[in-house]
PDB file of all heavy atoms in Angstrom:
ATOM      1  N   PRO A  28     121.524 113.127 123.387  1.00 82.00           N
ATOM      2  CA  PRO A  28     120.393 113.150 124.242  1.00 82.00           C
ATOM      3  C   PRO A  28     119.513 114.240 123.899  1.00 82.00           C
ATOM      4  O   PRO A  28     119.805 115.302 123.562  1.00 82.00           O
ATOM      5  CB  PRO A  28     121.019 113.359 125.649  1.00 82.00           C
ATOM      6  CG  PRO A  28     122.310 113.908 125.424  1.00 82.00           C
ATOM      7  CD  PRO A  28     122.807 113.408 124.119  1.00 82.00           C
ATOM      8  N   VAL A  29     118.155 114.011 123.986  1.00 79.00           N
ATOM      9  CA  VAL A  29     117.022 114.905 123.797  1.00 79.00           C
ATOM     10  C   VAL A  29     117.001 115.333 122.354  1.00 79.00           C
ATOM     11  O   VAL A  29     115.978 115.087 121.586  1.00 79.00           O
ATOM     12  CB  VAL A  29     117.114 116.152 124.675  1.00 79.00           C
ATOM     13  CG1 VAL A  29     115.862 117.018 124.526  1.00 79.00           C
ATOM     14  CG2 VAL A  29     117.155 115.729 126.145  1.00 79.00           C
ATOM     15  N   ILE A  30     118.067 115.983 121.825  1.00 82.00           N
ATOM     16  CA  ILE A  30     118.007 116.436 120.502  1.00 82.00           C
ATOM     17  C   ILE A  30     117.949 115.293 119.476  1.00 82.00           C
ATOM     18  O   ILE A  30     117.150 115.376 118.516  1.00 82.00           O
ATOM     19  CB  ILE A  30     119.306 117.295 120.111  1.00 82.00           C
ATOM     20  CG1 ILE A  30     119.290 118.564 120.978  1.00 82.00           C
ATOM     21  CG2 ILE A  30     119.429 117.554 118.599  1.00 82.00           C
ATOM     22  CD1 ILE A  30     120.537 119.455 120.836  1.00 82.00           C
ATOM     23  N   GLY A  31     118.611 114.177 119.741  1.00 87.00           N
ATOM     24  CA  GLY A  31     118.627 112.964 118.875  1.00 87.00           C
ATOM     25  C   GLY A  31     117.176 112.449 118.884  1.00 87.00           C
ATOM     26  O   GLY A  31     116.730 111.917 117.829  1.00 87.00           O
ATOM     27  N   MET A  32     116.574 112.393 120.031  1.00 88.00           N
ATOM     28  CA  MET A  32     115.194 111.911 120.136  1.00 88.00           C
ATOM     29  C   MET A  32     114.258 112.710 119.256  1.00 88.00           C
ATOM     30  O   MET A  32     113.380 112.214 118.572  1.00 88.00           O
ATOM     31  CB  MET A  32     114.717 111.896 121.527  1.00 88.00           C
ATOM     32  CG  MET A  32     113.268 111.344 121.778  1.00 88.00           C
ATOM     33  SD  MET A  32     112.744 111.370 123.493  1.00 88.00           S
ATOM     34  CE  MET A  32     112.700 113.096 123.759  1.00 88.00           C
ATOM     35  N   ILE A  33     114.393 114.043 119.288  1.00 86.00           N
ATOM     36  CA  ILE A  33     113.593 115.002 118.489  1.00 86.00           C
ATOM     37  C   ILE A  33     113.786 114.738 117.007  1.00 86.00           C
ATOM     38  O   ILE A  33     112.851 114.695 116.224  1.00 86.00           O
ATOM     39  CB  ILE A  33     113.864 116.442 118.869  1.00 86.00           C
ATOM     40  CG1 ILE A  33     113.407 116.824 120.237  1.00 86.00           C
ATOM     41  CG2 ILE A  33     113.159 117.391 117.855  1.00 86.00           C
ATOM     42  CD1 ILE A  33     113.766 118.171 120.696  1.00 86.00           C
ATOM     43  N   LEU A  34     115.068 114.507 116.629  1.00 86.00           N
ATOM     44  CA  LEU A  34     115.301 114.212 115.192  1.00 86.00           C
ATOM     45  C   LEU A  34     114.830 112.859 114.746  1.00 86.00           C
ATOM     46  O   LEU A  34     114.282 112.721 113.585  1.00 86.00           O
ATOM     47  CB  LEU A  34     116.865 114.274 114.995  1.00 86.00           C
ATOM     48  CG  LEU A  34     117.541 115.676 115.162  1.00 86.00           C
ATOM     49  CD1 LEU A  34     119.080 115.493 115.080  1.00 86.00           C
ATOM     50  CD2 LEU A  34     117.050 116.653 114.197  1.00 86.00           C
ATOM     51  N   HIS A  35     114.859 111.866 115.654  1.00 90.00           N
ATOM     52  CA  HIS A  35     114.199 110.577 115.404  1.00 90.00           C
ATOM     53  C   HIS A  35     112.699 110.738 115.024  1.00 90.00           C
ATOM     54  O   HIS A  35     112.156 110.243 114.080  1.00 90.00           O
ATOM     55  CB  HIS A  35     114.446 109.596 116.505  1.00 90.00           C
ATOM     56  CG  HIS A  35     115.685 108.755 116.356  1.00 90.00           C
ATOM     57  ND1 HIS A  35     115.855 107.897 115.391  1.00 90.00           N
ATOM     58  CD2 HIS A  35     116.762 108.751 117.142  1.00 90.00           C
ATOM     59  CE1 HIS A  35     117.057 107.321 115.518  1.00 90.00           C
ATOM     60  NE2 HIS A  35     117.634 107.802 116.567  1.00 90.00           N
ATOM     61  N   GLN A  36     112.073 111.402 115.991  1.00 90.00           N
ATOM     62  CA  GLN A  36     110.587 111.611 115.920  1.00 90.00           C
ATOM     63  C   GLN A  36     110.226 112.423 114.698  1.00 90.00           C
ATOM     64  O   GLN A  36     109.260 112.112 114.024  1.00 90.00           O
ATOM     65  CB  GLN A  36     110.058 112.273 117.197  1.00 90.00           C
ATOM     66  CG  GLN A  36     110.228 111.415 118.483  1.00 90.00           C
ATOM     67  CD  GLN A  36     109.982 112.239 119.668  1.00 90.00           C
ATOM     68  OE1 GLN A  36     110.060 113.489 119.784  1.00 90.00           O
ATOM     69  NE2 GLN A  36     109.791 111.643 120.794  1.00 90.00           N
ATOM     70  N   SER A  37     111.020 113.365 114.393  1.00 87.00           N
ATOM     71  CA  SER A  37     110.662 114.203 113.224  1.00 87.00           C
ATOM     72  C   SER A  37     110.843 113.412 111.929  1.00 87.00           C
ATOM     73  O   SER A  37     109.993 113.511 111.015  1.00 87.00           O
ATOM     74  CB  SER A  37     111.693 115.407 113.143  1.00 87.00           C
ATOM     75  OG  SER A  37     111.572 116.104 111.962  1.00 87.00           O
ATOM     76  N   ALA A  38     111.920 112.592 111.827  1.00 89.00           N
ATOM     77  CA  ALA A  38     112.181 111.776 110.691  1.00 89.00           C
ATOM     78  C   ALA A  38     111.011 110.764 110.455  1.00 89.00           C
ATOM     79  O   ALA A  38     110.530 110.541 109.364  1.00 89.00           O
ATOM     80  CB  ALA A  38     113.471 111.048 110.729  1.00 89.00           C
ATOM     81  N   ILE A  39     110.550 110.125 111.562  1.00 92.00           N
ATOM     82  CA  ILE A  39     109.396 109.163 111.531  1.00 92.00           C
ATOM     83  C   ILE A  39     108.113 109.832 111.060  1.00 92.00           C
ATOM     84  O   ILE A  39     107.364 109.333 110.274  1.00 92.00           O
ATOM     85  CB  ILE A  39     109.232 108.459 112.900  1.00 92.00           C
ATOM     86  CG1 ILE A  39     110.437 107.571 113.179  1.00 92.00           C
ATOM     87  CG2 ILE A  39     107.913 107.649 112.857  1.00 92.00           C
ATOM     88  CD1 ILE A  39     110.522 107.025 114.521  1.00 92.00           C
ATOM     89  N   ALA A  40     107.857 111.060 111.663  1.00 89.00           N
ATOM     90  CA  ALA A  40     106.709 111.747 111.268  1.00 89.00           C
ATOM     91  C   ALA A  40     106.680 112.208 109.777  1.00 89.00           C
ATOM     92  O   ALA A  40     105.689 111.987 109.097  1.00 89.00           O
ATOM     93  CB  ALA A  40     106.567 113.066 112.127  1.00 89.00           C
ATOM     94  N   ARG A  41     107.782 112.658 109.289  1.00 86.00           N
ATOM     95  CA  ARG A  41     107.890 112.961 107.834  1.00 86.00           C
ATOM     96  C   ARG A  41     107.767 111.666 106.998  1.00 86.00           C
ATOM     97  O   ARG A  41     107.074 111.711 105.948  1.00 86.00           O
ATOM     98  CB  ARG A  41     109.182 113.657 107.557  1.00 86.00           C
ATOM     99  CG  ARG A  41     109.057 115.167 107.821  1.00 86.00           C
ATOM    100  CD  ARG A  41     110.355 115.901 107.441  1.00 86.00           C
ATOM    101  NE  ARG A  41     111.386 115.817 108.464  1.00 86.00           N
ATOM    102  CZ  ARG A  41     112.437 116.584 108.428  1.00 86.00           C
ATOM    103  NH1 ARG A  41     112.667 117.398 107.535  1.00 86.00           N
ATOM    104  NH2 ARG A  41     113.389 116.359 109.416  1.00 86.00           N
ATOM    105  N   PHE A  42     108.420 110.598 107.372  1.00 90.00           N
ATOM    106  CA  PHE A  42     108.248 109.272 106.612  1.00 90.00           C
ATOM    107  C   PHE A  42     106.872 108.892 106.567  1.00 90.00           C
ATOM    108  O   PHE A  42     106.292 108.651 105.463  1.00 90.00           O
ATOM    109  CB  PHE A  42     109.078 108.266 107.409  1.00 90.00           C
ATOM    110  CG  PHE A  42     108.769 106.853 106.968  1.00 90.00           C
ATOM    111  CD1 PHE A  42     109.361 106.318 105.736  1.00 90.00           C
ATOM    112  CD2 PHE A  42     107.993 106.025 107.639  1.00 90.00           C
ATOM    113  CE1 PHE A  42     109.063 105.004 105.331  1.00 90.00           C
ATOM    114  CE2 PHE A  42     107.557 104.749 107.301  1.00 90.00           C
ATOM    115  CZ  PHE A  42     108.142 104.249 106.057  1.00 90.00           C
ATOM    116  N   ALA A  43     106.082 108.892 107.667  1.00 91.00           N
ATOM    117  CA  ALA A  43     104.736 108.456 107.741  1.00 91.00           C
ATOM    118  C   ALA A  43     103.789 109.367 106.905  1.00 91.00           C
ATOM    119  O   ALA A  43     102.989 108.788 106.122  1.00 91.00           O
ATOM    120  CB  ALA A  43     104.298 108.374 109.187  1.00 91.00           C
ATOM    121  N   ARG A  44     103.964 110.625 107.113  1.00 88.00           N
ATOM    122  CA  ARG A  44     103.033 111.566 106.377  1.00 88.00           C
ATOM    123  C   ARG A  44     103.302 111.498 104.888  1.00 88.00           C
ATOM    124  O   ARG A  44     102.383 111.552 104.039  1.00 88.00           O
ATOM    125  CB  ARG A  44     103.159 112.981 106.920  1.00 88.00           C
ATOM    126  CG  ARG A  44     102.156 113.993 106.307  1.00 88.00           C
ATOM    127  CD  ARG A  44     102.161 115.286 107.124  1.00 88.00           C
ATOM    128  NE  ARG A  44     101.526 115.061 108.368  1.00 88.00           N
ATOM    129  CZ  ARG A  44     100.166 114.996 108.646  1.00 88.00           C
ATOM    130  NH1 ARG A  44      99.288 114.961 107.643  1.00 88.00           N
ATOM    131  NH2 ARG A  44      99.686 114.819 109.838  1.00 88.00           N
ATOM    132  N   THR A  45     104.585 111.588 104.564  1.00 85.00           N
ATOM    133  CA  THR A  45     104.960 111.511 103.049  1.00 85.00           C
ATOM    134  C   THR A  45     104.452 110.203 102.371  1.00 85.00           C
ATOM    135  O   THR A  45     103.878 110.229 101.284  1.00 85.00           O
ATOM    136  CB  THR A  45     106.418 111.738 102.897  1.00 85.00           C
ATOM    137  OG1 THR A  45     106.876 112.843 103.605  1.00 85.00           O
ATOM    138  CG2 THR A  45     106.726 111.926 101.396  1.00 85.00           C
ATOM    139  N   LEU A  46     104.664 109.132 103.103  1.00 89.00           N
ATOM    140  CA  LEU A  46     104.259 107.850 102.447  1.00 89.00           C
ATOM    141  C   LEU A  46     102.760 107.720 102.344  1.00 89.00           C
ATOM    142  O   LEU A  46     102.203 107.226 101.341  1.00 89.00           O
ATOM    143  CB  LEU A  46     104.827 106.646 103.344  1.00 89.00           C
ATOM    144  CG  LEU A  46     104.589 105.279 102.731  1.00 89.00           C
ATOM    145  CD1 LEU A  46     105.089 105.166 101.307  1.00 89.00           C
ATOM    146  CD2 LEU A  46     105.172 104.229 103.605  1.00 89.00           C
ATOM    147  N   ALA A  47     102.018 108.197 103.392  1.00 88.00           N
ATOM    148  CA  ALA A  47     100.587 108.203 103.350  1.00 88.00           C
ATOM    149  C   ALA A  47     100.063 109.036 102.233  1.00 88.00           C
ATOM    150  O   ALA A  47      99.116 108.698 101.486  1.00 88.00           O
ATOM    151  CB  ALA A  47     100.061 108.693 104.697  1.00 88.00           C
ATOM    152  N   LEU A  48     100.730 110.210 102.022  1.00 84.00           N
ATOM    153  CA  LEU A  48     100.295 111.109 100.951  1.00 84.00           C
ATOM    154  C   LEU A  48     100.436 110.534  99.580  1.00 84.00           C
ATOM    155  O   LEU A  48      99.552 110.543  98.698  1.00 84.00           O
ATOM    156  CB  LEU A  48     100.997 112.458 101.087  1.00 84.00           C
ATOM    157  CG  LEU A  48     100.655 113.549 100.075  1.00 84.00           C
ATOM    158  CD1 LEU A  48      99.178 113.971 100.349  1.00 84.00           C
ATOM    159  CD2 LEU A  48     101.564 114.820 100.384  1.00 84.00           C
ATOM    160  N   THR A  49     101.634 109.990  99.348  1.00 84.00           N
ATOM    161  CA  THR A  49     101.955 109.440  98.011  1.00 84.00           C
ATOM    162  C   THR A  49     101.114 108.166  97.752  1.00 84.00           C
ATOM    163  O   THR A  49     100.639 107.962  96.589  1.00 84.00           O
ATOM    164  CB  THR A  49     103.516 109.017  97.892  1.00 84.00           C
ATOM    165  OG1 THR A  49     103.871 108.327  99.055  1.00 84.00           O
ATOM    166  CG2 THR A  49     104.288 110.288  97.807  1.00 84.00           C
ATOM    167  N   PHE A  50     100.898 107.309  98.806  1.00 85.00           N
ATOM    168  CA  PHE A  50     100.103 106.071  98.578  1.00 85.00           C
ATOM    169  C   PHE A  50      98.629 106.411  98.352  1.00 85.00           C
ATOM    170  O   PHE A  50      98.037 105.803  97.467  1.00 85.00           O
ATOM    171  CB  PHE A  50     100.225 105.241  99.871  1.00 85.00           C
ATOM    172  CG  PHE A  50      99.726 103.856  99.641  1.00 85.00           C
ATOM    173  CD1 PHE A  50     100.470 102.902  98.993  1.00 85.00           C
ATOM    174  CD2 PHE A  50      98.491 103.461 100.248  1.00 85.00           C
ATOM    175  CE1 PHE A  50      99.937 101.626  98.798  1.00 85.00           C
ATOM    176  CE2 PHE A  50      97.994 102.216 100.153  1.00 85.00           C
ATOM    177  CZ  PHE A  50      98.724 101.230  99.408  1.00 85.00           C
ATOM    178  N   LYS A  51      98.162 107.407  99.063  1.00 83.00           N
ATOM    179  CA  LYS A  51      96.759 107.865  98.824  1.00 83.00           C
ATOM    180  C   LYS A  51      96.581 108.505  97.463  1.00 83.00           C
ATOM    181  O   LYS A  51      95.488 108.327  96.867  1.00 83.00           O
ATOM    182  CB  LYS A  51      96.383 108.917  99.891  1.00 83.00           C
ATOM    183  CG  LYS A  51      94.940 109.352  99.878  1.00 83.00           C
ATOM    184  CD  LYS A  51      94.653 110.258 101.009  1.00 83.00           C
ATOM    185  CE  LYS A  51      93.160 110.665 101.108  1.00 83.00           C
ATOM    186  NZ  LYS A  51      92.878 111.649 102.158  1.00 83.00           N
ATOM    187  N   ALA A  52      97.601 109.117  96.913  1.00 80.00           N
ATOM    188  CA  ALA A  52      97.555 109.672  95.615  1.00 80.00           C
ATOM    189  C   ALA A  52      97.552 108.617  94.475  1.00 80.00           C
ATOM    190  O   ALA A  52      97.370 108.998  93.341  1.00 80.00           O
ATOM    191  CB  ALA A  52      98.631 110.683  95.352  1.00 80.00           C
ATOM    192  N   GLY A  53      97.852 107.370  94.822  1.00 80.00           N
ATOM    193  CA  GLY A  53      97.909 106.314  93.801  1.00 80.00           C
ATOM    194  C   GLY A  53      99.348 105.968  93.332  1.00 80.00           C
ATOM    195  O   GLY A  53      99.329 105.255  92.290  1.00 80.00           O
ATOM    196  N   VAL A  54     100.308 106.489  93.883  1.00 81.00           N
ATOM    197  CA  VAL A  54     101.626 106.138  93.483  1.00 81.00           C
ATOM    198  C   VAL A  54     102.010 104.817  93.959  1.00 81.00           C
ATOM    199  O   VAL A  54     101.740 104.387  95.121  1.00 81.00           O
ATOM    200  CB  VAL A  54     102.710 107.225  94.018  1.00 81.00           C
ATOM    201  CG1 VAL A  54     104.131 106.869  93.628  1.00 81.00           C
ATOM    202  CG2 VAL A  54     102.344 108.614  93.648  1.00 81.00           C
ATOM    203  N   PRO A  55     102.491 103.940  93.068  1.00 86.00           N
ATOM    204  CA  PRO A  55     102.889 102.591  93.461  1.00 86.00           C
ATOM    205  C   PRO A  55     103.901 102.599  94.666  1.00 86.00           C
ATOM    206  O   PRO A  55     104.763 103.525  94.737  1.00 86.00           O
ATOM    207  CB  PRO A  55     103.499 101.981  92.231  1.00 86.00           C
ATOM    208  CG  PRO A  55     103.066 102.801  91.072  1.00 86.00           C
ATOM    209  CD  PRO A  55     102.810 104.171  91.600  1.00 86.00           C
ATOM    210  N   LEU A  56     103.790 101.620  95.539  1.00 88.00           N
ATOM    211  CA  LEU A  56     104.442 101.619  96.832  1.00 88.00           C
ATOM    212  C   LEU A  56     105.938 101.691  96.616  1.00 88.00           C
ATOM    213  O   LEU A  56     106.683 102.460  97.322  1.00 88.00           O
ATOM    214  CB  LEU A  56     104.108 100.372  97.675  1.00 88.00           C
ATOM    215  CG  LEU A  56     104.661 100.339  99.068  1.00 88.00           C
ATOM    216  CD1 LEU A  56     104.281 101.540  99.840  1.00 88.00           C
ATOM    217  CD2 LEU A  56     104.215  99.013  99.764  1.00 88.00           C
ATOM    218  N   VAL A  57     106.517 100.905  95.728  1.00 88.00           N
ATOM    219  CA  VAL A  57     108.008 100.934  95.508  1.00 88.00           C
ATOM    220  C   VAL A  57     108.496 102.324  95.090  1.00 88.00           C
ATOM    221  O   VAL A  57     109.468 102.820  95.517  1.00 88.00           O
ATOM    222  CB  VAL A  57     108.372  99.823  94.473  1.00 88.00           C
ATOM    223  CG1 VAL A  57     109.824  99.881  94.098  1.00 88.00           C
ATOM    224  CG2 VAL A  57     108.097  98.505  95.029  1.00 88.00           C
ATOM    225  N   GLU A  58     107.782 102.891  94.103  1.00 85.00           N
ATOM    226  CA  GLU A  58     108.071 104.202  93.592  1.00 85.00           C
ATOM    227  C   GLU A  58     107.897 105.282  94.703  1.00 85.00           C
ATOM    228  O   GLU A  58     108.680 106.162  94.854  1.00 85.00           O
ATOM    229  CB  GLU A  58     107.150 104.589  92.407  1.00 85.00           C
ATOM    230  CG  GLU A  58     107.593 105.903  91.720  1.00 85.00           C
ATOM    231  CD  GLU A  58     106.773 106.189  90.500  1.00 85.00           C
ATOM    232  OE1 GLU A  58     106.054 105.324  90.042  1.00 85.00           O
ATOM    233  OE2 GLU A  58     106.700 107.312  90.127  1.00 85.00           O
ATOM    234  N   ALA A  59     106.807 105.100  95.573  1.00 85.00           N
ATOM    235  CA  ALA A  59     106.588 105.952  96.674  1.00 85.00           C
ATOM    236  C   ALA A  59     107.704 105.996  97.683  1.00 85.00           C
ATOM    237  O   ALA A  59     108.076 107.020  98.125  1.00 85.00           O
ATOM    238  CB  ALA A  59     105.259 105.600  97.275  1.00 85.00           C
ATOM    239  N   LEU A  60     108.162 104.797  98.002  1.00 89.00           N
ATOM    240  CA  LEU A  60     109.235 104.615  98.940  1.00 89.00           C
ATOM    241  C   LEU A  60     110.555 105.417  98.493  1.00 89.00           C
ATOM    242  O   LEU A  60     111.235 105.976  99.232  1.00 89.00           O
ATOM    243  CB  LEU A  60     109.583 103.230  99.186  1.00 89.00           C
ATOM    244  CG  LEU A  60     108.487 102.506 100.096  1.00 89.00           C
ATOM    245  CD1 LEU A  60     108.761 100.905 100.039  1.00 89.00           C
ATOM    246  CD2 LEU A  60     108.574 102.984 101.532  1.00 89.00           C
ATOM    247  N   GLU A  61     110.756 105.366  97.177  1.00 84.00           N
ATOM    248  CA  GLU A  61     111.973 106.033  96.679  1.00 84.00           C
ATOM    249  C   GLU A  61     111.868 107.506  96.877  1.00 84.00           C
ATOM    250  O   GLU A  61     112.813 108.234  97.121  1.00 84.00           O
ATOM    251  CB  GLU A  61     112.152 105.674  95.196  1.00 84.00           C
ATOM    252  CG  GLU A  61     113.418 106.170  94.548  1.00 84.00           C
ATOM    253  CD  GLU A  61     113.748 105.559  93.244  1.00 84.00           C
ATOM    254  OE1 GLU A  61     113.059 104.649  92.795  1.00 84.00           O
ATOM    255  OE2 GLU A  61     114.673 105.994  92.636  1.00 84.00           O
ATOM    256  N   THR A  62     110.618 108.054  96.650  1.00 80.00           N
ATOM    257  CA  THR A  62     110.388 109.391  96.793  1.00 80.00           C
ATOM    258  C   THR A  62     110.457 109.796  98.311  1.00 80.00           C
ATOM    259  O   THR A  62     110.993 110.900  98.603  1.00 80.00           O
ATOM    260  CB  THR A  62     108.947 109.837  96.297  1.00 80.00           C
ATOM    261  OG1 THR A  62     108.945 109.406  94.894  1.00 80.00           O
ATOM    262  CG2 THR A  62     108.795 111.366  96.384  1.00 80.00           C
ATOM    263  N   VAL A  63     109.868 108.980  99.151  1.00 85.00           N
ATOM    264  CA  VAL A  63     109.868 109.205 100.612  1.00 85.00           C
ATOM    265  C   VAL A  63     111.250 109.295 101.204  1.00 85.00           C
ATOM    266  O   VAL A  63     111.490 110.081 102.130  1.00 85.00           O
ATOM    267  CB  VAL A  63     108.993 108.088 101.348  1.00 85.00           C
ATOM    268  CG1 VAL A  63     109.145 108.182 102.844  1.00 85.00           C
ATOM    269  CG2 VAL A  63     107.565 108.285 100.882  1.00 85.00           C
ATOM    270  N   ALA A  64     112.084 108.477 100.673  1.00 84.00           N
ATOM    271  CA  ALA A  64     113.490 108.440 101.310  1.00 84.00           C
ATOM    272  C   ALA A  64     114.233 109.762 101.281  1.00 84.00           C
ATOM    273  O   ALA A  64     114.791 110.146 102.318  1.00 84.00           O
ATOM    274  CB  ALA A  64     114.405 107.432 100.401  1.00 84.00           C
ATOM    275  N   GLY A  65     113.962 110.593 100.264  1.00 79.00           N
ATOM    276  CA  GLY A  65     114.655 111.929 100.335  1.00 79.00           C
ATOM    277  C   GLY A  65     113.858 112.865 101.064  1.00 79.00           C
ATOM    278  O   GLY A  65     114.402 114.082 101.464  1.00 79.00           O
ATOM    279  N   ALA A  66     112.688 112.622 101.580  1.00 79.00           N
ATOM    280  CA  ALA A  66     111.837 113.540 102.351  1.00 79.00           C
ATOM    281  C   ALA A  66     111.997 113.400 103.913  1.00 79.00           C
ATOM    282  O   ALA A  66     111.429 114.140 104.572  1.00 79.00           O
ATOM    283  CB  ALA A  66     110.414 113.436 101.949  1.00 79.00           C
ATOM    284  N   THR A  67     112.716 112.397 104.282  1.00 83.00           N
ATOM    285  CA  THR A  67     112.843 112.137 105.744  1.00 83.00           C
ATOM    286  C   THR A  67     113.773 113.146 106.480  1.00 83.00           C
ATOM    287  O   THR A  67     113.733 113.375 107.693  1.00 83.00           O
ATOM    288  CB  THR A  67     113.438 110.714 106.062  1.00 83.00           C
ATOM    289  OG1 THR A  67     114.716 110.588 105.299  1.00 83.00           O
ATOM    290  CG2 THR A  67     112.441 109.648 105.536  1.00 83.00           C
ATOM    291  N   GLY A  68     114.660 113.781 105.641  1.00 79.00           N
ATOM    292  CA  GLY A  68     115.524 114.842 106.258  1.00 79.00           C
ATOM    293  C   GLY A  68     116.743 114.258 106.993  1.00 79.00           C
ATOM    294  O   GLY A  68     117.473 115.016 107.680  1.00 79.00           O
ATOM    295  N   SER A  69     116.975 112.934 106.793  1.00 84.00           N
ATOM    296  CA  SER A  69     118.091 112.220 107.475  1.00 84.00           C
ATOM    297  C   SER A  69     118.674 111.153 106.610  1.00 84.00           C
ATOM    298  O   SER A  69     117.910 110.406 106.030  1.00 84.00           O
ATOM    299  CB  SER A  69     117.566 111.628 108.805  1.00 84.00           C
ATOM    300  OG  SER A  69     118.504 110.650 109.298  1.00 84.00           O
ATOM    301  N   ILE A  70     120.005 111.208 106.451  1.00 87.00           N
ATOM    302  CA  ILE A  70     120.664 110.261 105.499  1.00 87.00           C
ATOM    303  C   ILE A  70     120.533 108.893 106.080  1.00 87.00           C
ATOM    304  O   ILE A  70     120.432 107.913 105.336  1.00 87.00           O
ATOM    305  CB  ILE A  70     122.033 110.661 105.176  1.00 87.00           C
ATOM    306  CG1 ILE A  70     122.571 109.938 103.975  1.00 87.00           C
ATOM    307  CG2 ILE A  70     122.948 110.575 106.428  1.00 87.00           C
ATOM    308  CD1 ILE A  70     123.874 110.434 103.433  1.00 87.00           C
ATOM    309  N   VAL A  71     120.549 108.717 107.458  1.00 89.00           N
ATOM    310  CA  VAL A  71     120.368 107.362 108.034  1.00 89.00           C
ATOM    311  C   VAL A  71     119.032 106.763 107.763  1.00 89.00           C
ATOM    312  O   VAL A  71     118.881 105.663 107.303  1.00 89.00           O
ATOM    313  CB  VAL A  71     120.526 107.553 109.631  1.00 89.00           C
ATOM    314  CG1 VAL A  71     120.182 106.214 110.270  1.00 89.00           C
ATOM    315  CG2 VAL A  71     122.056 107.896 109.930  1.00 89.00           C
ATOM    316  N   TYR A  72     117.954 107.641 107.819  1.00 91.00           N
ATOM    317  CA  TYR A  72     116.598 107.182 107.441  1.00 91.00           C
ATOM    318  C   TYR A  72     116.475 107.025 105.944  1.00 91.00           C
ATOM    319  O   TYR A  72     115.756 106.154 105.500  1.00 91.00           O
ATOM    320  CB  TYR A  72     115.509 108.134 108.030  1.00 91.00           C
ATOM    321  CG  TYR A  72     115.209 107.876 109.465  1.00 91.00           C
ATOM    322  CD1 TYR A  72     115.842 108.416 110.531  1.00 91.00           C
ATOM    323  CD2 TYR A  72     114.112 106.994 109.758  1.00 91.00           C
ATOM    324  CE1 TYR A  72     115.596 108.156 111.836  1.00 91.00           C
ATOM    325  CE2 TYR A  72     113.826 106.697 111.131  1.00 91.00           C
ATOM    326  CZ  TYR A  72     114.483 107.227 112.137  1.00 91.00           C
ATOM    327  OH  TYR A  72     114.173 106.977 113.375  1.00 91.00           O
ATOM    328  N   ASN A  73     117.147 107.847 105.238  1.00 89.00           N
ATOM    329  CA  ASN A  73     117.187 107.664 103.699  1.00 89.00           C
ATOM    330  C   ASN A  73     117.677 106.300 103.321  1.00 89.00           C
ATOM    331  O   ASN A  73     117.060 105.581 102.526  1.00 89.00           O
ATOM    332  CB  ASN A  73     118.066 108.835 103.143  1.00 89.00           C
ATOM    333  CG  ASN A  73     118.122 108.729 101.629  1.00 89.00           C
ATOM    334  OD1 ASN A  73     117.224 109.258 100.965  1.00 89.00           O
ATOM    335  ND2 ASN A  73     119.063 107.995 101.088  1.00 89.00           N
ATOM    336  N   ASP A  74     118.769 105.936 103.910  1.00 90.00           N
ATOM    337  CA  ASP A  74     119.328 104.551 103.630  1.00 90.00           C
ATOM    338  C   ASP A  74     118.376 103.499 104.028  1.00 90.00           C
ATOM    339  O   ASP A  74     118.244 102.456 103.313  1.00 90.00           O
ATOM    340  CB  ASP A  74     120.716 104.489 104.321  1.00 90.00           C
ATOM    341  CG  ASP A  74     121.814 105.440 103.813  1.00 90.00           C
ATOM    342  OD1 ASP A  74     121.524 105.940 102.678  1.00 90.00           O
ATOM    343  OD2 ASP A  74     122.828 105.536 104.471  1.00 90.00           O
ATOM    344  N   ALA A  75     117.863 103.652 105.310  1.00 92.00           N
ATOM    345  CA  ALA A  75     116.879 102.671 105.755  1.00 92.00           C
ATOM    346  C   ALA A  75     115.640 102.474 104.742  1.00 92.00           C
ATOM    347  O   ALA A  75     115.209 101.386 104.516  1.00 92.00           O
ATOM    348  CB  ALA A  75     116.420 103.009 107.173  1.00 92.00           C
TER     349      ALA A  75
END
């Protein structure tokens, strides 16, 4: 409780910002997603 919600929100924020940044820089989406996976800070989100 509470801490789990913060970790969820943090992982989503990092996923969205990292994917936006890589996509804007011109990195292909599939390659960008592979890079984004390691930047989420959570192995559950990494697998997803």
